[in-house]
């Protein structure tokens, strides 16, 4: 029994929701990741509530609700500024395609609901009074820092292959080991990852890379051979191994994770490779930009003014972060400061516009406008001209006259 003083505020705030469900004659529990994180002493993200009440019954109990996934039994309950996901106990009957269940059945039994959960540490439930329901020894697994499948691991990964990637990412995030039978079942069923959508695998892969112990996560990804069923990683065992040995600390951002990965892989077309993972265009651009400058920065051992100007702050920071991560003498703040001190950072900052040129120089529109603006920016960048409207205009009038 956990006393109320020990419960994190996220749970305390949600107690009235559970109590109200109970008063209506149903059962309600805190479940899943939030209960696990409480025992780990980790911050709680979202408090999930499971109940014996059916979605329609939940909607009758609370005034303000939103149907977010009613077919899966989830109703969002709104209380003041807060919102809580309340999900009806359910079993997931037959699985035919190694992913989501064909049919979700609502049940009144907590045990049935906990049985369908992936790992024992995620199958804990707790009442509003702090009573723990631990039917699968989840607390022991947390104490022993072990990831253990609920029930028979082979069956569980056959039902939903994504659970294997979830297991690996939890291993990296929590720095836990994977229990023997669970681990060998992952190795045996890794090939089923082919059936899972890239988007869902990607979520877990990124969480694995950004976890507390990415080196361990990648090691498991290699030994279980899950890598062979992920986009663009087939037969890249040696490359991944080389990366793995360099993963000594936490990776601070998703961009950095993809750059580190691609810096070690054998890839012909980076953009195409990243597209396979269905990443956003913004992410693909940031990663490819950094990967373009990385070899130049490595060869030159420095940034020139032109490089700083062309690359921009985000790319400079990412390149320096990669170098720092890999112990290759990165200097993020030094080069960011050098960038900020540049007299100009883009054409927008130039004190003269294309319109000004057209209005003041007796020439018809054409490619010369863009060329001239870039030329002026370059002169300003190298302190050969001051970024001052009149000075820039005078220069153009003189230069373009001389051109004639
Ligand atoms: P996180 O802290 O990353 O959110 P989590 O454990 O809360 O971790 P969620 O994806 O939010 O993970 O899922 C909530 C709960 O639902 C899990 O704790 C687990 O009990 C159950 N669950 C989620 N995905 C699966 C799955 N594929 N198979 C079985 N149970 C699952
Ligand atoms: Mg969660």
């Amino acid at each position: 029994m956990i006393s109320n003083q020990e419960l994190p505020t996220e749970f305390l705030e949600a107690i009235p929701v559970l109590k109200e469900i109970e008063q209506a004659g149903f059962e309600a529990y805190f479940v899943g990741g939030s209960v696990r994180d409480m025992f780990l002493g980790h911050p709680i993200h979202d408090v999930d509530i499971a109940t014996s009440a059916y979605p329609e019954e939940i909607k009758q109990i609370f005034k303000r609700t939103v149907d977010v996934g009613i077919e899966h039994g989830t109703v969002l309950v709104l209380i003041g500024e807060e919102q809580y996901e309340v999900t009806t106990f359910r079993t997931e009957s037959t699985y035919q395609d190694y992913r989501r269940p064909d049919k979700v059945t609502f049940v009144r039994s907590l045990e049935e609901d906990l049985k369908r959960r992936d790992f024992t540490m995620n199958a804990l439930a707790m009442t509003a009074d702090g009573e723990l329901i631990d039917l699968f020894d989840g607390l022991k697994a947390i104490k022993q820092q072990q990831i253990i499948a609920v029930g028979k691991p082979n069956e569980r990964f056959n039902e939903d292959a994504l659970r294997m990637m979830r297991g690996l990412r939890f291993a990296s995030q929590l720095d836990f080991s994977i229990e023997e039978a669970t681990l060998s079942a992952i190795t045996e069923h890794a090939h089923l990852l082919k059936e899972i959508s890239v988007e869902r695998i990607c979520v877990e892969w990124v969480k694995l890379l950004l976890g507390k112990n990415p080196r361990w996560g990648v090691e498991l990804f290699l030994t279980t051979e899950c890598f062979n069923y992920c986009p663009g990683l087939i037969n890249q065992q040696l490359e991944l191994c080389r990366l793995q040995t360099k993963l000594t600390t936490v990776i601070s951002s998703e961009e950095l994770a993809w750059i580190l990965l691609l810096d070690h892989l054998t890839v012909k077309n980076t953009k195409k490779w990243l597209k396979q993972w269905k990443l956003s265009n913004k992410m693909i651009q940031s990663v490819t930009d950094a990967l373009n400058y990385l070899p130049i920065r490595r060869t030159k051992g420095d940034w020139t003014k032109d490089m700083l100007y062309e690359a921009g702050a985000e790319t400079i920071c990412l390149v320096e972060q990669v170098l720092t991560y890999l112990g290759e003498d990165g200097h993020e703040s030094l080069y960011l400061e050098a960038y900020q001190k540049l007299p100009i950072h883009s054409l927008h900052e130039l004190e003269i516009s294309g319109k000004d040129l057209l209005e003041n120089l007796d020439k018809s529109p054409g490619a010369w406008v863009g060329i001239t603006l870039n030329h002026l920016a370059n002169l300003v960048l190298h302190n050969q001209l001051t970024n001052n409207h009149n000075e820039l205009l005078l220069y153009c009038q003189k230069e373009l006259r001389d051109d004639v």
Side-chain angles (χ1 to χ4, degrees):
M1 189 84 131
I2 319 285
S3 80
N4 265 5
Q5 286 103 349
E6 289 172 88
L7 283 184
T9 45
E10 291 83 355
F11 284 120
L12 292 178
E13 283 167 11
I15 286 177
V17 180
L18 273 69
K19 289 278 183 200
E20 213 152 321
I21 300 173
E22 284 172 4
Q23 270 155 26
F26 302 100
E27 290 173 38
Y29 302 88
F30 295 117
V31 285
S34 55
V35 183
R36 176 200 68 223
D37 288 341
M38 181 186 77
F39 284 106
L40 286 166
H42 290 181
I44 313 284
H45 307 293
D46 24 49
V47 165
D48 291 324
I49 298 167
T51 179
S52 60
Y54 290 168
E56 288 307 323
E57 292 165 336
I58 290 295
K59 286 167 73 174
Q60 279 170 14
I61 298 171
F62 297 97
K63 275 203 205 87
R64 289 164 60 221
T65 60
V66 183
D67 291 356
V68 280
I70 208 150
E71 66 287 1
H72 297 112
T74 305
V75 173
L76 204 60
V77 171
L78 309 176
I79 295 187
E81 299 280 285
E82 295 299 323
Q83 50 187 51
Y84 298 96
E85 271 195 10
V86 178
T87 306
T88 303
F89 297 154
R90 58 185 205 213
T91 58
E92 295 172 348
S93 42
T94 53
Y95 297 75
Q96 288 190 354
D97 53 2
Y98 314 105
R99 16 190 183 147
R100 303 173 186 209
D102 304 333
K103 197 166 139 252
V104 167
T105 313
F106 299 142
V107 291
R108 298 284 191 188
S109 145
L110 172 68
E111 183 176 352
E112 287 301 313
D113 183 83
L114 296 180
K115 255 194 218 165
R116 60 129 185 128
R117 293 177 184 269
D118 49 5
F119 302 107
T120 61
M121 64 181 184
N122 291 342
L124 294 168
M126 189 174 66
T127 65
D129 299 324
E131 186 196 340
L132 185 70
I133 290 99
D134 181 7
L135 305 179
F136 304 98
D137 260 348
L139 196 54
K140 186 173 159 208
I142 291 175
K143 285 190 180 137
Q144 297 187 339
Q145 308 199 315
Q146 277 209 321
I147 295 164
I148 309 172
V150 172
K152 294 188 178 136
N154 285 329
E155 282 174 17
R156 305 314 308 286
F157 298 135
N158 234 308
E159 287 169 0
D160 179 357
L162 186 74
R163 289 173 186 152
M164 299 186 282
M165 282 300 290
R166 282 175 60 85
L168 304 189
R169 74 101 155 159
F170 281 122
S172 167
Q173 279 186 321
L174 306 176
D175 196 11
F176 275 21
S177 61
I178 301 183
E179 173 265 343
E180 217 180 298
T182 304
L183 187 64
S184 61
I186 296 180
T187 312
E188 200 173 314
H189 294 84
H191 64 98
L192 294 179
L193 283 176
K194 281 186 293 211
E195 312 293 333
I196 302 294
S197 76
V198 172
E199 290 90 336
R200 295 178 79 210
I201 294 183
C202 185
V203 170
E204 305 304 328
W205 174 231
V206 170
K207 285 184 180 177
L208 182 158
L209 290 172
L210 299 185
K212 182 172 159 191
N213 191 345
R215 184 182 206 155
W216 173 229
V218 173
E219 184 180 329
L220 289 167
F221 189 60
L222 280 162
T223 51
T224 56
E225 287 200 33
C226 282
F227 74 96
N228 260 332
Y229 306 95
C230 290
L233 298 177
I234 299 155
N235 294 329
Q236 301 249 22
Q237 191 161 18
L238 284 178
E239 289 86 343
L240 284 167
C241 243
R242 271 200 312 122
L243 168 70
Q244 190 229 331
T245 59
K246 305 224 185 107
L247 299 176
T248 47
T249 50
V250 171
I251 301 171
S252 58
S253 70
E254 180 175 343
E255 285 83 353
L256 185 57
W258 291 112
I259 300 165
L260 282 168
L261 181 63
L262 278 159
D263 187 38
H264 289 79
L265 296 180
T266 313
V267 171
K268 273 203 202 112
N269 183 328
T270 310
K271 217 167 217 157
K272 257 195 195 159
W273 191 94
L274 289 162
K275 275 200 176 147
Q276 292 181 94
W277 281 91
K278 310 253 171 92
L279 303 179
S280 70
N281 288 336
K282 169 81 190 60
M283 178 64 68
I284 295 179
Q285 198 59 51
S286 304
V287 173
T288 43
D289 284 348
L291 283 163
N292 284 336
Y293 280 94
L294 187 59
I296 311 176
R297 162 71 171 85
R298 275 185 172 132
T299 322
K300 286 194 186 292
D302 203 353
W303 291 82
T304 63
K305 267 190 169 186
D306 290 302
M307 278 163 66
L308 290 172
Y309 174 81
E310 280 157 24
E314 192 199 352
T315 302
I316 297 164
C317 290
L318 281 172
V319 167
E320 294 306 314
Q321 285 166 19
V322 179
L323 296 175
T324 303
Y325 189 94
L326 296 172
E328 293 179 37
D329 210 19
H331 295 285
E332 184 177 355
S333 46
L334 179 84
Y335 287 114
L336 189 58
E337 204 176 304
Y339 171 77
Q340 278 155 355
K341 280 191 184 149
L342 294 178
I344 189 168
H345 304 90
S346 76
L347 287 187
H348 298 293
E349 286 179 14
L350 202 59
E351 290 288 335
I352 199 165
S353 68
K355 195 161 158 268
D356 295 333
L357 294 182
L358 286 167
E359 280 171 5
N360 290 283
L361 302 168
D362 195 17
K363 281 168 77 81
S364 44
W368 67 273
V369 180
I371 295 170
T372 306
L373 290 174
N374 279 314
H375 178 60
L376 292 173
N378 192 268
L379 292 171
V380 171
L381 181 67
H382 293 283
N383 302 313
Q384 288 163 5
L385 267 184
T386 311
N387 192 10
N388 167 285
H389 181 81
N390 289 338
E391 196 171 318
L392 294 168
L393 192 57
L394 264 174
Y395 173 87
C396 289
Q397 282 165 337
K398 182 172 172 295
E399 285 300 308
L400 292 175
R401 190 194 57 224
D402 291 352
D403 270 0
V404 185

